[in-house]
Amino acid sequence: MLAVPYQTMTHDQWTAVDEFIARRLHERDEALDAALAASAEAGLPAIQVSPCHGKMLHLLARAMGARRILEIGTLGGYSTIWLARALPTGGRLISLEANPKHAEVARANIARAGLAGAVEVRLGRALDTLPQLAAEQAGPFDLFFIDADKEHIAEYFDWAIRLGRPGSLILVDNVVREGAVLDAESADTAVQGVRRFIERLGRDQRVSATVVQTVGVKKYDGFALAVITAATARTP
Ligand code: SAH
Ligand code: DHB
Ligand code: MG
């Protein structure tokens, strides 16, 4: 039974529950705290994944035994640290970031977390650096986290499939946008980018996918999960 009727639930309550969970289930974490403090100090926007979603990324990477991870959209490296900590010895994470200041802050945060040896932050627009990765034969990656500009999600998703293998997991952040994803007439280019991605995802024979809606400190949003299937066999 709900403690409060749904209509009266607020962002304050979602935040309080996120904090309740994190306090009980997460260890104190100096590297992550320092990464958030340094990011705020440098004036980066506080749009990183929530602690609970960061840990979820970490657990998914661990559960699938991901050895190679590709992230698109680094910011200050908060999600990067959560993901990279799931890597086994010898595992690698590459994170793509267009903003030089974000990349610099992230590299320092990642080094402070003791992960510099496993993580490369590659500077440049993802639509420029993704073809570089393909040319270098940097894949196949086991896990992708797509979390950069929302206008190009569909293109990033196509690159993920190209750089993945059957069984790779592709996660895409921020695809519900407080329900704005339903608004076909939205003037918000991020909403249109997400809508274009979802429409294509539904027709994509190369993956099996769903979207999970979420509430919490980051309000009402959601993420897409897709597993790359064999090109011929579409599974439910
Ligand atoms: N994944 C991070 C948050 C990323 S915020 C976390 O959860 O901790 C989105 C990031 O994508 C920003 O740092 C922004 O500079 C970057 N970005 C925006 N457009 C980009 C592009 N075309 N290529 C690469 N990065 C881009
Ligand atoms: C924004 C981007 C994100 O990746 C996110 O998780 C929240 C907000 C943004 O661009 O506003
Ligand atoms: Mg995001």
Side-chain angles (χ1 to χ4, degrees):
M1 197 175 76
L2 294 171
V4 189
Y6 173 78
Q7 284 80 358
T8 69
M9 285 190 189
T10 64
H11 181 233
D12 287 347
Q13 187 183 25
W14 302 336
T15 299
V17 172
D18 252 349
E19 285 167 0
F20 172 85
I21 301 296
R23 265 202 307 275
R24 282 161 184 78
L25 272 54
H26 299 183
E27 313 274 315
R28 273 212 61 241
D29 198 313
E30 279 169 26
L32 287 172
D33 290 348
L36 291 180
S39 299
E41 176 68 24
L44 271 51
I47 56 173
Q48 67 281 340
V49 294
S50 70
C52 292
H53 283 189
K55 187 148 183 193
M56 179 190 72
L57 295 174
H58 170 85
L59 293 172
L60 287 170
R62 250 170 74 181
M64 73 182 298
R67 300 185 59 86
R68 307 180 67 81
I69 299 175
L70 180 62
E71 176 176 69
I72 308 179
T74 317
L75 191 65
Y78 183 79
S79 56
T80 318
I81 292 170
W82 274 114
L83 283 166
R85 282 178 172 170
L87 291 169
T89 307
R92 293 276 295 156
L93 184 153
I94 299 177
S95 187
L96 308 181
E97 174 55 55
N99 183 312
K101 182 168 142 188
H102 296 185
E104 185 189 322
V105 172
R107 287 187 186 119
N109 287 337
I110 290 159
R112 197 187 301 103
L115 294 163
V119 175
E120 177 193 349
V121 177
R122 193 172 290 207
L123 182 61
R125 291 172 54 243
L127 288 179
D128 298 327
T129 49
L130 286 162
Q132 284 175 14
L133 292 178
E136 291 165 21
Q137 301 192 315
F141 294 92
D142 306 307
L143 173 62
F144 299 85
F145 182 45
I146 298 176
D147 192 23
D149 59 304
K150 310 308 169 189
E151 287 73 9
H152 293 117
I153 293 177
E155 285 72 25
Y156 300 152
F157 191 81
D158 281 340
W159 277 106
I161 290 174
R162 176 149 171 206
L163 292 165
R165 44 118 182 127
S168 296
L169 177 62
I170 308 173
L171 301 166
V172 185
D173 201 17
N174 312 121
V175 300
V176 174
R177 314 196 71 82
E178 300 192 61
V181 65
L182 293 180
D183 183 5
E185 309 304 322
S186 175
D188 182 340
T189 57
V191 171
Q192 291 300 345
V194 167
R195 286 183 57 85
R196 186 164 65 93
F197 163 62
I198 301 276
E199 298 294 348
R200 285 173 52 162
L201 185 60
R203 294 192 296 267
D204 199 321
Q205 303 293 304
R206 303 167 300 177
V207 293
S208 181
T210 194
V211 168
V212 176
Q213 301 185 76
T214 56
V215 294
V217 63
K218 299 211 52 190
K219 302 190 192 164
Y220 168 37
D221 209 335
F223 57 91
L225 294 113
V227 170
I228 304 178
T229 54
T232 47
R234 171 138 207 182
T235 51

